[in-house]
Amino acid sequence: MLRIADTRTGRSVEIPSAHRHLLRICVHLPVIDTEIGAVHLRSPLVGDVLARTAELHGLESQTVLITPELPDEQAQALDRAMSDLGIHPPATVGGHDRTATLVTAADVHLLAHGAPGQDGVGGVWIDVGQVGPAPRAGGVPGRDHRLAPDLLDAFVPAGTDPLAVRLLLLGHAHSTPVTVTSAALDEARRTLGRWRQQVADWAQEPSRPIPADVLQQAHAALADDLGVPAVLDMLVGVATRADVPAGAKFETFAFLDRVLGLDLARKVGHQHQATP
């Protein structure tokens, strides 16, 4: 069972309703004449995490991305940026005037900051918090962050794994505004590198089952309004628990990466053997 807080009512609502096994998600991007800010990436990211969580709970999901009419270059840039952040492509992409039936049928609507709601449309509505780069004084390049051919360049220093941005954003509740600073990116990059190396090391040990308490806590956190920050905190603890065997740590991180989408097993099998 998944429960999401409805922004309109403030109430926690079970999704999908009526004991169905298909969760329909609709991500709404604002209609803007020429500029599309980075907040457009966070809403599809939250939708991606919601779809992954549903699948972890045995549900099928369908995601619809409602976009403004975009020139080909901008549409391709948006596709690339979503791919860089590990966001699964939505099943359907359409303009606001072409997808009325899909919008009406959605169980959950994710609204990017500034996207208008639609009166008379049911389902749970979630306002996704704004995200943007820090001012120049914060250390992040102060470039214009319009949707250029390489959108993530407006946030991410050269050579930074875009999945570090995903980790940074996942560390905040989906309704909380996020400012992407160089310090926050550095911390996310270090954490991602450390976890990938640990997962690679743990993978060399015999497999062990995920501890029951860890599995229960993870499912409970994700089912409660997508509590991904709590899951990340839990992984920090699991990594240092002496009572959890290395093989169980590997299985835990690999299992939860199905939701996190951080490619935590990237280094598995690529360790350099010491020369005798």
Side-chain angles (χ1 to χ4, degrees), residues 253-274:
F253 275 67
F255 176 74
L256 291 176
D257 197 38
R258 291 167 57 184
V259 169
L260 300 176
L262 298 173
D263 197 11
L264 295 179
R266 176 178 295 184
K267 292 187 177 181
V268 172
H270 296 284
Q271 296 91 328
H272 295 288
Q273 299 295 327

Side-chain angles (χ1 to χ4, degrees), residues 29 32-37 40-41 67-82 145-151:
L29 301 188
I32 301 177
D33 292 336
T34 57
E35 296 184 358
I36 298 182
H40 287 74
L41 295 178
T67 70
E69 295 293 340
L70 298 175
D72 288 343
E73 182 182 8
Q74 289 187 324
Q76 293 168 9
L78 181 60
D79 288 343
R80 285 196 300 271
M82 289 195 298
H145 54 283
R146 287 179 288 180
L147 189 59
D150 295 300
L151 172 60

Side-chain angles (χ1 to χ4, degrees), residues 187-207:
E187 178 61 26
R189 185 169 57 245
R190 287 193 296 268
T191 298
L192 193 58
R194 181 174 66 253
W195 281 356
R196 285 173 175 167
Q197 185 58 59
Q198 289 174 322
V199 167
D201 293 340
W202 296 330
Q204 300 182 78
E205 301 297 329
S207 177

